Amino acid sequence: MWTAFSLPTGSVWLSALIVLVDFGIRVVVLGVIPGNRRPTTAMAWLLCIFFLPYVGLLLFLMFGNFRLSRRRREKQDAVNQRIMEGTKDIASLVPEYDGPAWVKSAIELNQNLGFFPAIGGNTVRLIKGYHESLDLMADEISQATDYVNAEFYIMSSDASTNRLFQELEAAAERGVRVRVLFDHIGSLRVPGYLGMIRRLKASKIQWRRMLPLLPVKGQWRRPDLRNHRKILVVDGRVGFTGSQNVIEPSYRKKRNVKVGRQWVELMTRLEGPIVGTLNVMFATDWSSETEENLESQMAAYHWDTFEGGALCQVVPSGPGFVTENNLRLFNTLLYSAEKQITISSPYFVPDDSLLYAITTAAQRGIKVELFVSEVGDQFLVHHAQRSYYEALLRAGVRIFLYPKPLVLHAKHFTVDYDVAVIGSSNMDMRSFSLNLEVTVMMIDRAVVEQMHAVEDHYRSMSRELHLDEWLKRPILARYVDNVARLTATLQ
């Protein structure tokens, strides 16, 4: 028998069990979550679990693991070993570079982390027109005689991309080996996904989803662990990479069309030995998704370099590399700059190291400019980005807002007159840790001048944000920015 002031025996034990489990979760995560994570990331997860133990733990189990499967890591390690063996004879090229010492140091860093050497003899053309880029890729595919390897985060069959798909289909029909990779979740979120799948199935194109989430087939992993790369290689002769996905410029969203929102991109067309390096990256990803080893293509590529032209170096990064190659390269270049740095990043959510690198550059007298969109397409990411503006402006960084409703999605930056960097990587913690990315460092003054011309165009289109204006924004807006900043660290 029990009184009004007591609980039934079963309820007492249940309450005690809940308290013990709750306490046990908190004790265990204190020693587990900080392992191999940034302190800010670990603290964000710990706060989430301490406030909401069961929900927080469930979210951590779903999203806390940022590593690829062991099988994929082993394949990446095998490719890295192959590249090391193939490039050992040209490692001596680095000391021959006669430019600034800090550039040579960056080259060496990239090769030590990503294993690809810097290779000369390349031709680089920057493409800022959205439809121009799609047309140029389609033109090259129409001339393919051996193979076409295409890899994009998002692919969509629509009015803007129809010709590119037609050329892929025609190439496959005439016997060209056409391989297509697209990120499963990235493309699935776009209207018309099933129509594209039907079109691919009806063709002779070989295609696969990257990092698929298909539990019925036993394919499961952290949902937001994505392959964000954009690569096209035709016959090993010409390659494309940059920020652009294969989709119409409003991303097939009715609300975007309604307000006139379109994505602004920058792609680069490459010819020369560097194209083979891009192809090795594709071959690695294709092998991971299909079990088909593109040995013949990799063996056909001779690691060599030529005098003249642009010196280029591909930098792979993502969960297959524990060293966060893109972040280390970005920080190295920012700390090495002697005159000016100009950055274009649609999602600028830096970790502490990158924030210190860019503000330190401005504080030591380097001219630092950052181009971002006035209004972002992703609510939390855009507000997290805004939370850094005050620190950047106080340090002397000039922030230019690309006019709405356009979305400046281009991902590139220049350092002095010596280095231009372009690729799929944003300057945010997701691109550093969770996404598979491709970055190309180009060491050539003519290429830098091309990119400076693009930056000049952005500047002419944009409005500069000043500190006094920013400090007057509403208190509620500051609150939302700060909350969003916390969520950005949950990796």
Side-chain angles (χ1 to χ4, degrees):
M1 185 166 182
W2 54 281
T3 68
F5 300 98
S6 64
L7 293 171
T9 303
S11 298
V12 170
W13 281 108
L14 179 61
S15 299
L17 180 63
I18 291 173
V19 171
L20 285 173
V21 171
D22 183 279
F23 180 75
I25 290 174
R26 295 168 191 251
V27 171
V28 170
V29 297
L30 277 173
V32 172
I33 288 179
N36 296 320
R37 286 183 177 84
R38 299 184 185 88
T40 53
T41 299
M43 185 59 68
W45 276 118
L46 289 173
L47 283 172
C48 179
I49 293 173
F50 269 62
F51 278 111
L52 300 167
Y54 300 104
V55 174
L57 181 61
L58 178 62
L59 290 173
F60 176 74
L61 293 175
M62 291 180 63
F63 297 99
N65 180 17
F66 54 87
R67 301 188 69 186
L68 292 171
S69 66
R70 175 176 296 182
R71 179 182 63 83
R72 286 177 178 268
R73 296 198 305 271
E74 289 174 349
K75 284 192 174 186
Q76 183 65 64
D77 290 341
V79 171
N80 294 344
Q81 185 61 40
R82 182 195 303 257
I83 295 169
M84 288 178 63
E85 293 174 358
T87 60
K88 59 186 178 182
D89 293 333
I90 66 171
S92 61
L93 288 173
V94 174
E96 293 179 3
Y97 174 71
D98 59 0
W102 59 267
V103 177
K104 184 166 67 175
S105 178
I107 292 172
E108 203 156 12
L109 170 73
N110 292 338
Q111 185 161 351
N112 287 335
L113 297 178
F115 303 98
F116 289 126
I119 300 177
N122 302 290
T123 301
V124 177
R125 174 186 171 187
L126 300 182
I127 313 161
K128 64 180 182 180
Y130 197 103
H131 289 96
E132 179 188 6
S133 175
L134 293 174
D135 287 340
L136 286 173
M137 288 190 284
D139 289 343
E140 295 298 343
I141 295 169
S142 71
Q143 301 175 46
T145 58
D146 188 6
Y147 64 85
V148 176
N149 292 333
E151 174 179 351
F152 290 87
Y153 174 59
I154 294 175
M155 292 194 74
S156 166
S157 173
D158 53 52
S160 295
T161 66
N162 183 53
R163 184 185 164 225
L164 190 147
F165 271 87
Q166 288 177 335
E167 296 297 352
L168 289 171
E169 292 162 344
E173 284 289 339
R174 64 177 182 268
V176 175
R177 292 169 292 177
V178 179
R179 303 177 182 88
V180 170
L181 290 172
F182 55 88
D183 186 80
H184 184 196
I185 301 303
S187 297
L188 178 64
R189 293 185 292 115
V190 174
Y193 172 77
L194 293 179
M196 181 185 73
I197 296 299
R198 286 192 294 270
R199 182 170 187 173
L200 289 171
K201 286 182 176 179
S203 72
K204 294 184 179 180
I205 297 170
Q206 300 177 57
W207 61 275
R208 291 292 187 280
R209 303 172 181 92
M210 293 188 290
L211 299 175
L213 288 179
L214 300 169
V216 175
K217 297 182 178 180
Q219 297 174 326
W220 176 257
R221 59 184 53 82
R222 174 173 173 167
D224 60 343
L225 199 68
R226 309 314 322 152
N227 193 322
H228 196 241
R229 291 168 178 160
K230 290 94 174 169
I231 297 171
L232 174 68
V233 175
V234 179
D235 293 342
R237 173 183 56 82
V238 61
F240 294 80
T241 191
S243 64
Q244 187 173 349
N245 292 297
V246 177
I247 187 172
E248 63 91 22
S250 291
Y251 276 56
R252 304 193 71 173
K253 302 286 180 66
K254 291 182 179 179
R255 64 179 182 272
N256 291 340
V257 175
K258 184 177 180 179
V259 300
R261 180 177 296 143
Q262 295 191 345
W263 269 239
V264 177
E265 309 285 1
L266 187 68
M267 292 289 282
T268 183
R269 179 186 184 278
L270 300 163
E271 287 186 278
I274 199 65
V275 176
T277 310
L278 285 176
N279 204 46
V280 171
M281 285 196 66
F282 175 89
T284 305
D285 289 340
W286 181 262
S287 175
S288 296
E289 302 298 349
T290 67
E291 301 298 334
E292 178 188 359
N293 189 347
L294 300 185
E295 181 73 31
S296 60
Q297 286 190 22
M298 295 178 69
Y301 179 61
H302 299 287
W303 296 100
D304 203 351
T305 191
F306 303 90
E307 295 184 1
L311 183 64
C312 298
Q313 187 173 30
V314 170
V315 183
S317 59
F321 297 87
V322 298
T323 45
E324 296 183 325
N325 301 348
N326 48 357
L327 174 60
R328 290 176 186 265
L329 170 62
F330 296 169
N331 282 340
T332 294
L333 295 177
L334 291 171
Y335 277 118
S336 300
E338 298 174 348
K339 298 179 181 67
Q340 63 184 50
I341 299 166
T342 304
I343 300 169
S344 174
S345 181
Y347 312 117
F348 185 83
V349 187
D351 72 340
D352 288 344
S353 70
L354 186 63
L355 181 63
Y356 271 66
I358 190 171
T359 53
T360 299
Q363 288 164 339
R364 59 189 176 89
I366 305 301
K367 178 184 176 183
V368 182
E369 297 177 322
L370 172 64
F371 289 96
V372 292
S373 297
E374 185 176 11
V375 176
D377 63 301
Q378 298 184 25
F379 180 85
L380 284 177
V381 177
H382 182 65
H383 280 278
Q385 173 176 290
R386 285 161 47 98
S387 72
Y388 293 91
Y389 288 175
E390 182 176 342
L392 294 169
L393 291 168
R394 288 190 183 279
V397 176
R398 298 181 68 188
I399 299 177
F400 293 89
L401 304 179
Y402 202 82
K404 61 182 180 182
L406 299 175
V407 175
L408 183 61
H409 192 248
K411 313 163 197 295
H412 55 85
F413 68 100
T414 54
V415 181
D416 297 345
Y417 295 91
D418 302 286
V419 172
V421 176
I422 191 171
S424 65
S425 179
N426 299 305
M427 285 194 170
D428 66 357
M429 288 175 273
R430 178 167 302 282
S431 281
F432 299 147
S433 301
L434 302 181
N435 291 342
L436 281 75
E437 306 281 9
V438 57
T439 301
V440 181
M441 185 172 76
M442 301 171 289
I443 304 160
D444 183 81
R445 292 215 165 192
V447 175
V448 176
E449 288 175 0
Q450 284 190 61
M451 197 167 284
H452 281 172
V454 174
E455 295 162 353
D456 291 342
H457 173 69
Y458 293 168
R459 198 178 298 105
S460 70
M461 294 277 293
S462 303
R463 175 179 68 85
E464 185 171 1
L465 178 66
H466 296 282
L467 180 61
D468 56 351
E469 172 196 349
W470 189 242
L471 294 177
K472 293 176 183 177
R473 76 191 194 280
I475 293 176
L476 179 59
R478 295 188 184 201
Y479 179 82
V480 173
D481 293 346
N482 291 336
V483 172
R485 179 170 177 161
L486 179 63
T487 65
T489 63
L490 290 175
Q491 299 179 11

